[in-house]
Amino acid sequence: MGWAFELSAWFALVEGRYEQLIEFAQAGQSIAGTGSAGVQLILQEAKGWSRLGDHKQADAALNRGADMLGRMPVPDHPEHHFVFDHTKWIFYASSCFVWLGDNDRTEEHAAEVIAKHARPDGTSNAPMRTAQARINLGIVAARRGQLDQAVAYGEGAFEYERQSLTALVSSSADLDNILQLRYRGEQLARDFHDRHLHIRRLIESGELGRP
């Protein structure tokens, strides 16, 4: 039942229903207790507060999630979808911080996500997380006036396996929005906008399914 609430929270997140996201996440926590579902529900709540710009509540939820995670045993199979580990907390925290406008903590956590999942050959063993981290770094770069770097991070995120793109497109919209707001007349910003729209159309047409 805890995971059922988490799924409802996830849909609310991607559909922009942030107050409902928080309601689902809090309701699920009362059922899930201590465990992977409980931590993920707390982090979903943190995402909701972050999207609403509530720094205090978001930080409190992130800290509660970290505390619960610290009381759990290290998982044998952290790659399992229904297992929450420390690396996933870092991944979730990076997104919370970018939505809160905390550039320094976003950069710190996103860089750690990329480093922890990097294989010796330069590929990633968690392409969705790595791609999302690159989008977050792109947003930070755009805020700092680094257009070339922002677009490079964003374009790089699209190079990962196709199944990752569906969940990524809502985040790439955040990067696209800031690029269009600050650099509308720049060719690099237009090129990224066209790439983002192309991928979104592929998803809407059904050529790219939800992972």
Side-chain angles (χ1 to χ4, degrees), residues 61-98:
L62 285 169
N63 289 335
R64 283 192 288 113
D67 179 68
M68 181 178 288
L69 190 60
R71 291 184 275 113
M72 293 163 49
V74 176
D76 293 328
H77 300 284
E79 76 283 356
H80 194 286
H81 181 73
F82 293 106
V83 171
F84 204 102
D85 68 334
H86 180 65
T87 306
K88 186 178 283 190
W89 184 94
I90 298 169
F91 168 64
Y92 274 49
S94 173
S95 293
C96 289
F97 292 140
V98 77

PDB file of all heavy atoms in Angstrom, residues 61-98:
ATOM      1  N   ALA A  61      12.046  17.456   5.338  1.00  0.00           N
ATOM      2  CA  ALA A  61      11.739  16.148   4.755  1.00  0.00           C
ATOM      3  C   ALA A  61      13.017  15.440   4.309  1.00  0.00           C
ATOM      4  O   ALA A  61      13.177  14.223   4.524  1.00  0.00           O
ATOM      5  CB  ALA A  61      10.787  16.315   3.570  1.00  0.00           C
ATOM      6  N   LEU A  62      13.938  16.171   3.699  1.00  0.00           N
ATOM      7  CA  LEU A  62      15.210  15.558   3.293  1.00  0.00           C
ATOM      8  C   LEU A  62      15.958  15.005   4.500  1.00  0.00           C
ATOM      9  O   LEU A  62      16.521  13.900   4.450  1.00  0.00           O
ATOM     10  CB  LEU A  62      16.080  16.589   2.574  1.00  0.00           C
ATOM     11  CG  LEU A  62      15.671  16.936   1.139  1.00  0.00           C
ATOM     12  CD1 LEU A  62      16.447  18.152   0.646  1.00  0.00           C
ATOM     13  CD2 LEU A  62      15.896  15.755   0.203  1.00  0.00           C
ATOM     14  N   ASN A  63      15.950  15.755   5.590  1.00  0.00           N
ATOM     15  CA  ASN A  63      16.640  15.291   6.802  1.00  0.00           C
ATOM     16  C   ASN A  63      15.950  14.068   7.402  1.00  0.00           C
ATOM     17  O   ASN A  63      16.612  13.140   7.882  1.00  0.00           O
ATOM     18  CB  ASN A  63      16.708  16.419   7.825  1.00  0.00           C
ATOM     19  CG  ASN A  63      17.683  17.519   7.422  1.00  0.00           C
ATOM     20  OD1 ASN A  63      18.620  17.275   6.669  1.00  0.00           O
ATOM     21  ND2 ASN A  63      17.449  18.731   7.907  1.00  0.00           N
ATOM     22  N   ARG A  64      14.605  14.052   7.378  1.00  0.00           N
ATOM     23  CA  ARG A  64      13.880  12.881   7.885  1.00  0.00           C
ATOM     24  C   ARG A  64      14.173  11.652   7.034  1.00  0.00           C
ATOM     25  O   ARG A  64      14.324  10.536   7.559  1.00  0.00           O
ATOM     26  CB  ARG A  64      12.377  13.153   7.911  1.00  0.00           C
ATOM     27  CG  ARG A  64      11.924  14.023   9.075  1.00  0.00           C
ATOM     28  CD  ARG A  64      10.416  14.032   9.231  1.00  0.00           C
ATOM     29  NE  ARG A  64       9.753  14.781   8.174  1.00  0.00           N
ATOM     30  CZ  ARG A  64       8.964  14.263   7.247  1.00  0.00           C
ATOM     31  NH1 ARG A  64       8.736  12.951   7.214  1.00  0.00           N
ATOM     32  NH2 ARG A  64       8.394  15.040   6.335  1.00  0.00           N
ATOM     33  N   GLY A  65      14.250  11.857   5.735  1.00  0.00           N
ATOM     34  CA  GLY A  65      14.566  10.735   4.850  1.00  0.00           C
ATOM     35  C   GLY A  65      15.964  10.196   5.101  1.00  0.00           C
ATOM     36  O   GLY A  65      16.175   8.988   5.131  1.00  0.00           O
ATOM     37  N   ALA A  66      16.919  11.116   5.293  1.00  0.00           N
ATOM     38  CA  ALA A  66      18.294  10.688   5.561  1.00  0.00           C
ATOM     39  C   ALA A  66      18.381   9.951   6.889  1.00  0.00           C
ATOM     40  O   ALA A  66      19.111   8.955   7.022  1.00  0.00           O
ATOM     41  CB  ALA A  66      19.220  11.902   5.558  1.00  0.00           C
ATOM     42  N   ASP A  67      17.630  10.419   7.883  1.00  0.00           N
ATOM     43  CA  ASP A  67      17.637   9.765   9.192  1.00  0.00           C
ATOM     44  C   ASP A  67      17.063   8.347   9.114  1.00  0.00           C
ATOM     45  O   ASP A  67      17.639   7.407   9.659  1.00  0.00           O
ATOM     46  CB  ASP A  67      16.838  10.598  10.194  1.00  0.00           C
ATOM     47  CG  ASP A  67      16.779   9.956  11.572  1.00  0.00           C
ATOM     48  OD1 ASP A  67      17.825   9.887  12.236  1.00  0.00           O
ATOM     49  OD2 ASP A  67      15.676   9.525  11.978  1.00  0.00           O
ATOM     50  N   MET A  68      15.939   8.189   8.401  1.00  0.00           N
ATOM     51  CA  MET A  68      15.360   6.856   8.255  1.00  0.00           C
ATOM     52  C   MET A  68      16.302   5.944   7.485  1.00  0.00           C
ATOM     53  O   MET A  68      16.504   4.773   7.853  1.00  0.00           O
ATOM     54  CB  MET A  68      14.007   6.920   7.540  1.00  0.00           C
ATOM     55  CG  MET A  68      13.347   5.558   7.383  1.00  0.00           C
ATOM     56  SD  MET A  68      11.717   5.597   6.578  1.00  0.00           S
ATOM     57  CE  MET A  68      10.717   6.335   7.887  1.00  0.00           C
ATOM     58  N   LEU A  69      16.896   6.466   6.427  1.00  0.00           N
ATOM     59  CA  LEU A  69      17.815   5.666   5.625  1.00  0.00           C
ATOM     60  C   LEU A  69      18.999   5.209   6.457  1.00  0.00           C
ATOM     61  O   LEU A  69      19.479   4.080   6.319  1.00  0.00           O
ATOM     62  CB  LEU A  69      18.284   6.485   4.424  1.00  0.00           C
ATOM     63  CG  LEU A  69      19.072   5.761   3.339  1.00  0.00           C
ATOM     64  CD1 LEU A  69      18.255   4.636   2.724  1.00  0.00           C
ATOM     65  CD2 LEU A  69      19.503   6.757   2.259  1.00  0.00           C
ATOM     66  N   GLY A  70      19.458   6.083   7.362  1.00  0.00           N
ATOM     67  CA  GLY A  70      20.594   5.736   8.201  1.00  0.00           C
ATOM     68  C   GLY A  70      20.297   4.632   9.198  1.00  0.00           C
ATOM     69  O   GLY A  70      21.228   3.996   9.723  1.00  0.00           O
ATOM     70  N   ARG A  71      19.013   4.396   9.479  1.00  0.00           N
ATOM     71  CA  ARG A  71      18.620   3.338  10.408  1.00  0.00           C
ATOM     72  C   ARG A  71      18.330   2.021   9.711  1.00  0.00           C
ATOM     73  O   ARG A  71      17.975   1.037  10.349  1.00  0.00           O
ATOM     74  CB  ARG A  71      17.394   3.780  11.210  1.00  0.00           C
ATOM     75  CG  ARG A  71      17.704   4.913  12.188  1.00  0.00           C
ATOM     76  CD  ARG A  71      16.506   5.280  13.065  1.00  0.00           C
ATOM     77  NE  ARG A  71      15.614   6.234  12.405  1.00  0.00           N
ATOM     78  CZ  ARG A  71      14.386   5.975  12.012  1.00  0.00           C
ATOM     79  NH1 ARG A  71      13.888   4.754  12.165  1.00  0.00           N
ATOM     80  NH2 ARG A  71      13.635   6.902  11.454  1.00  0.00           N
ATOM     81  N   MET A  72      18.475   2.003   8.389  1.00  0.00           N
ATOM     82  CA  MET A  72      18.211   0.798   7.612  1.00  0.00           C
ATOM     83  C   MET A  72      19.517   0.107   7.246  1.00  0.00           C
ATOM     84  O   MET A  72      20.553   0.759   7.092  1.00  0.00           O
ATOM     85  CB  MET A  72      17.427   1.164   6.337  1.00  0.00           C
ATOM     86  CG  MET A  72      16.027   1.654   6.612  1.00  0.00           C
ATOM     87  SD  MET A  72      15.295   2.526   5.181  1.00  0.00           S
ATOM     88  CE  MET A  72      15.610   1.382   3.829  1.00  0.00           C
ATOM     89  N   PRO A  73      19.514  -1.216   7.080  1.00  0.00           N
ATOM     90  CA  PRO A  73      20.728  -1.926   6.652  1.00  0.00           C
ATOM     91  C   PRO A  73      21.096  -1.571   5.223  1.00  0.00           C
ATOM     92  O   PRO A  73      20.237  -1.191   4.417  1.00  0.00           O
ATOM     93  CB  PRO A  73      20.332  -3.406   6.769  1.00  0.00           C
ATOM     94  CG  PRO A  73      18.844  -3.410   6.642  1.00  0.00           C
ATOM     95  CD  PRO A  73      18.369  -2.141   7.285  1.00  0.00           C
ATOM     96  N   VAL A  74      22.372  -1.659   4.908  1.00  0.00           N
ATOM     97  CA  VAL A  74      22.824  -1.426   3.539  1.00  0.00           C
ATOM     98  C   VAL A  74      22.218  -2.502   2.637  1.00  0.00           C
ATOM     99  O   VAL A  74      22.355  -3.700   2.920  1.00  0.00           O
ATOM    100  CB  VAL A  74      24.360  -1.457   3.452  1.00  0.00           C
ATOM    101  CG1 VAL A  74      24.815  -1.301   2.008  1.00  0.00           C
ATOM    102  CG2 VAL A  74      24.960  -0.370   4.332  1.00  0.00           C
ATOM    103  N   PRO A  75      21.529  -2.143   1.571  1.00  0.00           N
ATOM    104  CA  PRO A  75      20.846  -3.152   0.744  1.00  0.00           C
ATOM    105  C   PRO A  75      21.813  -4.024  -0.043  1.00  0.00           C
ATOM    106  O   PRO A  75      22.872  -3.561  -0.486  1.00  0.00           O
ATOM    107  CB  PRO A  75      19.973  -2.304  -0.192  1.00  0.00           C
ATOM    108  CG  PRO A  75      20.680  -0.990  -0.275  1.00  0.00           C
ATOM    109  CD  PRO A  75      21.280  -0.768   1.083  1.00  0.00           C
ATOM    110  N   ASP A  76      21.441  -5.285  -0.211  1.00  0.00           N
ATOM    111  CA  ASP A  76      22.249  -6.203  -1.009  1.00  0.00           C
ATOM    112  C   ASP A  76      22.137  -5.914  -2.500  1.00  0.00           C
ATOM    113  O   ASP A  76      23.069  -6.170  -3.263  1.00  0.00           O
ATOM    114  CB  ASP A  76      21.809  -7.653  -0.745  1.00  0.00           C
ATOM    115  CG  ASP A  76      22.123  -8.102   0.681  1.00  0.00           C
ATOM    116  OD1 ASP A  76      23.127  -7.622   1.242  1.00  0.00           O
ATOM    117  OD2 ASP A  76      21.348  -8.924   1.217  1.00  0.00           O
ATOM    118  N   HIS A  77      20.972  -5.389  -2.913  1.00  0.00           N
ATOM    119  CA  HIS A  77      20.733  -5.117  -4.329  1.00  0.00           C
ATOM    120  C   HIS A  77      20.207  -3.693  -4.492  1.00  0.00           C
ATOM    121  O   HIS A  77      19.011  -3.486  -4.753  1.00  0.00           O
ATOM    122  CB  HIS A  77      19.747  -6.125  -4.915  1.00  0.00           C
ATOM    123  CG  HIS A  77      20.219  -7.549  -4.829  1.00  0.00           C
ATOM    124  ND1 HIS A  77      21.192  -8.059  -5.669  1.00  0.00           N
ATOM    125  CD2 HIS A  77      19.880  -8.564  -3.980  1.00  0.00           C
ATOM    126  CE1 HIS A  77      21.412  -9.327  -5.355  1.00  0.00           C
ATOM    127  NE2 HIS A  77      20.638  -9.652  -4.338  1.00  0.00           N
ATOM    128  N   PRO A  78      21.070  -2.697  -4.357  1.00  0.00           N
ATOM    129  CA  PRO A  78      20.618  -1.298  -4.432  1.00  0.00           C
ATOM    130  C   PRO A  78      20.064  -0.912  -5.794  1.00  0.00           C
ATOM    131  O   PRO A  78      19.363   0.090  -5.918  1.00  0.00           O
ATOM    132  CB  PRO A  78      21.891  -0.503  -4.101  1.00  0.00           C
ATOM    133  CG  PRO A  78      23.011  -1.421  -4.442  1.00  0.00           C
ATOM    134  CD  PRO A  78      22.512  -2.793  -4.113  1.00  0.00           C
ATOM    135  N   GLU A  79      20.389  -1.713  -6.830  1.00  0.00           N
ATOM    136  CA  GLU A  79      19.892  -1.400  -8.164  1.00  0.00           C
ATOM    137  C   GLU A  79      18.415  -1.747  -8.336  1.00  0.00           C
ATOM    138  O   GLU A  79      17.784  -1.325  -9.319  1.00  0.00           O
ATOM    139  CB  GLU A  79      20.725  -2.149  -9.214  1.00  0.00           C
ATOM    140  CG  GLU A  79      20.436  -3.647  -9.346  1.00  0.00           C
ATOM    141  CD  GLU A  79      21.063  -4.479  -8.218  1.00  0.00           C
ATOM    142  OE1 GLU A  79      21.780  -3.920  -7.366  1.00  0.00           O
ATOM    143  OE2 GLU A  79      20.816  -5.703  -8.197  1.00  0.00           O
ATOM    144  N   HIS A  80      17.847  -2.509  -7.405  1.00  0.00           N
ATOM    145  CA  HIS A  80      16.445  -2.916  -7.507  1.00  0.00           C
ATOM    146  C   HIS A  80      15.536  -1.692  -7.423  1.00  0.00           C
ATOM    147  O   HIS A  80      15.749  -0.797  -6.611  1.00  0.00           O
ATOM    148  CB  HIS A  80      16.105  -3.896  -6.385  1.00  0.00           C
ATOM    149  CG  HIS A  80      14.809  -4.614  -6.589  1.00  0.00           C
ATOM    150  ND1 HIS A  80      13.581  -4.020  -6.415  1.00  0.00           N
ATOM    151  CD2 HIS A  80      14.547  -5.901  -6.969  1.00  0.00           C
ATOM    152  CE1 HIS A  80      12.629  -4.889  -6.649  1.00  0.00           C
ATOM    153  NE2 HIS A  80      13.190  -6.037  -7.003  1.00  0.00           N
ATOM    154  N   HIS A  81      14.518  -1.674  -8.278  1.00  0.00           N
ATOM    155  CA  HIS A  81      13.633  -0.507  -8.357  1.00  0.00           C
ATOM    156  C   HIS A  81      12.971  -0.188  -7.013  1.00  0.00           C
ATOM    157  O   HIS A  81      12.754   0.981  -6.688  1.00  0.00           O
ATOM    158  CB  HIS A  81      12.554  -0.742  -9.418  1.00  0.00           C
ATOM    159  CG  HIS A  81      11.615   0.426  -9.576  1.00  0.00           C
ATOM    160  ND1 HIS A  81      11.993   1.604 -10.185  1.00  0.00           N
ATOM    161  CD2 HIS A  81      10.333   0.591  -9.174  1.00  0.00           C
ATOM    162  CE1 HIS A  81      10.968   2.445 -10.165  1.00  0.00           C
ATOM    163  NE2 HIS A  81       9.954   1.862  -9.571  1.00  0.00           N
ATOM    164  N   PHE A  82      12.642  -1.213  -6.236  1.00  0.00           N
ATOM    165  CA  PHE A  82      11.938  -0.993  -4.971  1.00  0.00           C
ATOM    166  C   PHE A  82      12.892  -0.997  -3.773  1.00  0.00           C
ATOM    167  O   PHE A  82      12.491  -1.338  -2.666  1.00  0.00           O
ATOM    168  CB  PHE A  82      10.845  -2.052  -4.788  1.00  0.00           C
ATOM    169  CG  PHE A  82       9.727  -1.905  -5.788  1.00  0.00           C
ATOM    170  CD1 PHE A  82       9.611  -2.797  -6.845  1.00  0.00           C
ATOM    171  CD2 PHE A  82       8.803  -0.869  -5.686  1.00  0.00           C
ATOM    172  CE1 PHE A  82       8.589  -2.668  -7.776  1.00  0.00           C
ATOM    173  CE2 PHE A  82       7.789  -0.732  -6.615  1.00  0.00           C
ATOM    174  CZ  PHE A  82       7.679  -1.625  -7.660  1.00  0.00           C
ATOM    175  N   VAL A  83      14.122  -0.600  -4.016  1.00  0.00           N
ATOM    176  CA  VAL A  83      15.105  -0.471  -2.934  1.00  0.00           C
ATOM    177  C   VAL A  83      15.632   0.959  -2.938  1.00  0.00           C
ATOM    178  O   VAL A  83      15.987   1.489  -3.984  1.00  0.00           O
ATOM    179  CB  VAL A  83      16.272  -1.461  -3.114  1.00  0.00           C
ATOM    180  CG1 VAL A  83      17.393  -1.159  -2.122  1.00  0.00           C
ATOM    181  CG2 VAL A  83      15.781  -2.894  -2.920  1.00  0.00           C
ATOM    182  N   PHE A  84      15.661   1.562  -1.766  1.00  0.00           N
ATOM    183  CA  PHE A  84      16.160   2.931  -1.646  1.00  0.00           C
ATOM    184  C   PHE A  84      17.505   2.895  -0.941  1.00  0.00           C
ATOM    185  O   PHE A  84      17.631   2.347   0.150  1.00  0.00           O
ATOM    186  CB  PHE A  84      15.168   3.793  -0.849  1.00  0.00           C
ATOM    187  CG  PHE A  84      15.282   5.259  -1.143  1.00  0.00           C
ATOM    188  CD1 PHE A  84      14.365   5.887  -1.967  1.00  0.00           C
ATOM    189  CD2 PHE A  84      16.320   6.019  -0.614  1.00  0.00           C
ATOM    190  CE1 PHE A  84      14.471   7.239  -2.262  1.00  0.00           C
ATOM    191  CE2 PHE A  84      16.433   7.365  -0.900  1.00  0.00           C
ATOM    192  CZ  PHE A  84      15.504   7.982  -1.722  1.00  0.00           C
ATOM    193  N   ASP A  85      18.516   3.476  -1.566  1.00  0.00           N
ATOM    194  CA  ASP A  85      19.846   3.511  -0.965  1.00  0.00           C
ATOM    195  C   ASP A  85      20.354   4.947  -0.899  1.00  0.00           C
ATOM    196  O   ASP A  85      19.678   5.877  -1.350  1.00  0.00           O
ATOM    197  CB  ASP A  85      20.814   2.616  -1.741  1.00  0.00           C
ATOM    198  CG  ASP A  85      21.117   3.169  -3.135  1.00  0.00           C
ATOM    199  OD1 ASP A  85      20.276   3.905  -3.679  1.00  0.00           O
ATOM    200  OD2 ASP A  85      22.194   2.855  -3.671  1.00  0.00           O
ATOM    201  N   HIS A  86      21.543   5.138  -0.353  1.00  0.00           N
ATOM    202  CA  HIS A  86      22.079   6.483  -0.144  1.00  0.00           C
ATOM    203  C   HIS A  86      22.272   7.224  -1.467  1.00  0.00           C
ATOM    204  O   HIS A  86      22.043   8.445  -1.547  1.00  0.00           O
ATOM    205  CB  HIS A  86      23.414   6.403   0.607  1.00  0.00           C
ATOM    206  CG  HIS A  86      24.036   7.748   0.855  1.00  0.00           C
ATOM    207  ND1 HIS A  86      23.450   8.710   1.667  1.00  0.00           N
ATOM    208  CD2 HIS A  86      25.193   8.301   0.394  1.00  0.00           C
ATOM    209  CE1 HIS A  86      24.218   9.785   1.694  1.00  0.00           C
ATOM    210  NE2 HIS A  86      25.269   9.564   0.934  1.00  0.00           N
ATOM    211  N   THR A  87      22.682   6.506  -2.507  1.00  0.00           N
ATOM    212  CA  THR A  87      22.896   7.160  -3.794  1.00  0.00           C
ATOM    213  C   THR A  87      21.596   7.714  -4.351  1.00  0.00           C
ATOM    214  O   THR A  87      21.583   8.799  -4.953  1.00  0.00           O
ATOM    215  CB  THR A  87      23.518   6.169  -4.794  1.00  0.00           C
ATOM    216  OG1 THR A  87      24.698   5.603  -4.229  1.00  0.00           O
ATOM    217  CG2 THR A  87      23.866   6.860  -6.093  1.00  0.00           C
ATOM    218  N   LYS A  88      20.491   7.006  -4.125  1.00  0.00           N
ATOM    219  CA  LYS A  88      19.200   7.518  -4.589  1.00  0.00           C
ATOM    220  C   LYS A  88      18.811   8.766  -3.794  1.00  0.00           C
ATOM    221  O   LYS A  88      18.213   9.699  -4.343  1.00  0.00           O
ATOM    222  CB  LYS A  88      18.109   6.443  -4.472  1.00  0.00           C
ATOM    223  CG  LYS A  88      16.768   6.874  -5.075  1.00  0.00           C
ATOM    224  CD  LYS A  88      15.719   5.782  -4.990  1.00  0.00           C
ATOM    225  CE  LYS A  88      15.942   4.717  -6.031  1.00  0.00           C
ATOM    226  NZ  LYS A  88      14.788   3.768  -6.112  1.00  0.00           N
ATOM    227  N   TRP A  89      19.161   8.801  -2.510  1.00  0.00           N
ATOM    228  CA  TRP A  89      18.883  10.011  -1.713  1.00  0.00           C
ATOM    229  C   TRP A  89      19.627  11.204  -2.305  1.00  0.00           C
ATOM    230  O   TRP A  89      19.059  12.299  -2.443  1.00  0.00           O
ATOM    231  CB  TRP A  89      19.316   9.796  -0.261  1.00  0.00           C
ATOM    232  CG  TRP A  89      18.971  10.957   0.632  1.00  0.00           C
ATOM    233  CD1 TRP A  89      17.855  11.103   1.400  1.00  0.00           C
ATOM    234  CD2 TRP A  89      19.749  12.154   0.831  1.00  0.00           C
ATOM    235  NE1 TRP A  89      17.883  12.311   2.072  1.00  0.00           N
ATOM    236  CE2 TRP A  89      19.034  12.972   1.731  1.00  0.00           C
ATOM    237  CE3 TRP A  89      20.971  12.601   0.343  1.00  0.00           C
ATOM    238  CZ2 TRP A  89      19.505  14.219   2.155  1.00  0.00           C
ATOM    239  CZ3 TRP A  89      21.436  13.850   0.741  1.00  0.00           C
ATOM    240  CH2 TRP A  89      20.708  14.636   1.636  1.00  0.00           C
ATOM    241  N   ILE A  90      20.895  11.012  -2.679  1.00  0.00           N
ATOM    242  CA  ILE A  90      21.673  12.092  -3.279  1.00  0.00           C
ATOM    243  C   ILE A  90      21.005  12.566  -4.576  1.00  0.00           C
ATOM    244  O   ILE A  90      20.901  13.764  -4.852  1.00  0.00           O
ATOM    245  CB  ILE A  90      23.120  11.629  -3.553  1.00  0.00           C
ATOM    246  CG1 ILE A  90      23.816  11.260  -2.248  1.00  0.00           C
ATOM    247  CG2 ILE A  90      23.914  12.714  -4.285  1.00  0.00           C
ATOM    248  CD1 ILE A  90      25.150  10.545  -2.447  1.00  0.00           C
ATOM    249  N   PHE A  91      20.534  11.601  -5.363  1.00  0.00           N
ATOM    250  CA  PHE A  91      19.861  11.907  -6.626  1.00  0.00           C
ATOM    251  C   PHE A  91      18.601  12.734  -6.396  1.00  0.00           C
ATOM    252  O   PHE A  91      18.384  13.763  -7.049  1.00  0.00           O
ATOM    253  CB  PHE A  91      19.541  10.584  -7.326  1.00  0.00           C
ATOM    254  CG  PHE A  91      18.603  10.703  -8.490  1.00  0.00           C
ATOM    255  CD1 PHE A  91      18.955  11.422  -9.611  1.00  0.00           C
ATOM    256  CD2 PHE A  91      17.373  10.051  -8.469  1.00  0.00           C
ATOM    257  CE1 PHE A  91      18.095  11.527 -10.703  1.00  0.00           C
ATOM    258  CE2 PHE A  91      16.516  10.141  -9.547  1.00  0.00           C
ATOM    259  CZ  PHE A  91      16.868  10.875 -10.666  1.00  0.00           C
ATOM    260  N   TYR A  92      17.761  12.302  -5.458  1.00  0.00           N
ATOM    261  CA  TYR A  92      16.544  13.046  -5.152  1.00  0.00           C
ATOM    262  C   TYR A  92      16.874  14.429  -4.599  1.00  0.00           C
ATOM    263  O   TYR A  92      16.226  15.432  -4.938  1.00  0.00           O
ATOM    264  CB  TYR A  92      15.690  12.273  -4.140  1.00  0.00           C
ATOM    265  CG  TYR A  92      14.750  11.260  -4.742  1.00  0.00           C
ATOM    266  CD1 TYR A  92      15.186  10.337  -5.685  1.00  0.00           C
ATOM    267  CD2 TYR A  92      13.422  11.208  -4.357  1.00  0.00           C
ATOM    268  CE1 TYR A  92      14.324   9.399  -6.220  1.00  0.00           C
ATOM    269  CE2 TYR A  92      12.538  10.268  -4.892  1.00  0.00           C
ATOM    270  CZ  TYR A  92      13.001   9.371  -5.826  1.00  0.00           C
ATOM    271  OH  TYR A  92      12.142   8.451  -6.371  1.00  0.00           O
ATOM    272  N   ALA A  93      17.874  14.502  -3.719  1.00  0.00           N
ATOM    273  CA  ALA A  93      18.238  15.776  -3.105  1.00  0.00           C
ATOM    274  C   ALA A  93      18.693  16.780  -4.158  1.00  0.00           C
ATOM    275  O   ALA A  93      18.377  17.977  -4.067  1.00  0.00           O
ATOM    276  CB  ALA A  93      19.321  15.564  -2.060  1.00  0.00           C
ATOM    277  N   SER A  94      19.427  16.312  -5.162  1.00  0.00           N
ATOM    278  CA  SER A  94      19.889  17.209  -6.219  1.00  0.00           C
ATOM    279  C   SER A  94      18.712  17.898  -6.904  1.00  0.00           C
ATOM    280  O   SER A  94      18.747  19.115  -7.157  1.00  0.00           O
ATOM    281  CB  SER A  94      20.716  16.435  -7.244  1.00  0.00           C
ATOM    282  OG  SER A  94      21.049  17.234  -8.353  1.00  0.00           O
ATOM    283  N   SER A  95      17.663  17.145  -7.200  1.00  0.00           N
ATOM    284  CA  SER A  95      16.490  17.730  -7.843  1.00  0.00           C
ATOM    285  C   SER A  95      15.776  18.706  -6.909  1.00  0.00           C
ATOM    286  O   SER A  95      15.323  19.771  -7.339  1.00  0.00           O
ATOM    287  CB  SER A  95      15.523  16.628  -8.292  1.00  0.00           C
ATOM    288  OG  SER A  95      16.085  15.860  -9.334  1.00  0.00           O
ATOM    289  N   CYS A  96      15.686  18.346  -5.635  1.00  0.00           N
ATOM    290  CA  CYS A  96      15.061  19.263  -4.673  1.00  0.00           C
ATOM    291  C   CYS A  96      15.819  20.582  -4.618  1.00  0.00           C
ATOM    292  O   CYS A  96      15.226  21.667  -4.643  1.00  0.00           O
ATOM    293  CB  CYS A  96      15.020  18.629  -3.285  1.00  0.00           C
ATOM    294  SG  CYS A  96      13.850  17.255  -3.120  1.00  0.00           S
ATOM    295  N   PHE A  97      17.131  20.511  -4.567  1.00  0.00           N
ATOM    296  CA  PHE A  97      17.933  21.728  -4.438  1.00  0.00           C
ATOM    297  C   PHE A  97      17.849  22.601  -5.686  1.00  0.00           C
ATOM    298  O   PHE A  97      17.838  23.831  -5.592  1.00  0.00           O
ATOM    299  CB  PHE A  97      19.392  21.368  -4.142  1.00  0.00           C
ATOM    300  CG  PHE A  97      19.594  20.747  -2.781  1.00  0.00           C
ATOM    301  CD1 PHE A  97      20.469  19.684  -2.613  1.00  0.00           C
ATOM    302  CD2 PHE A  97      18.904  21.217  -1.672  1.00  0.00           C
ATOM    303  CE1 PHE A  97      20.661  19.112  -1.362  1.00  0.00           C
ATOM    304  CE2 PHE A  97      19.079  20.641  -0.419  1.00  0.00           C
ATOM    305  CZ  PHE A  97      19.959  19.596  -0.261  1.00  0.00           C
ATOM    306  N   VAL A  98      17.775  21.979  -6.875  1.00  0.00           N
ATOM    307  CA  VAL A  98      17.688  22.800  -8.079  1.00  0.00           C
ATOM    308  C   VAL A  98      16.346  23.515  -8.124  1.00  0.00           C
ATOM    309  O   VAL A  98      16.262  24.685  -8.542  1.00  0.00           O
ATOM    310  CB  VAL A  98      17.936  21.957  -9.352  1.00  0.00           C
ATOM    311  CG1 VAL A  98      16.726  21.121  -9.746  1.00  0.00           C
ATOM    312  CG2 VAL A  98      18.360  22.859 -10.520  1.00  0.00           C
TER     313      VAL A  98
END
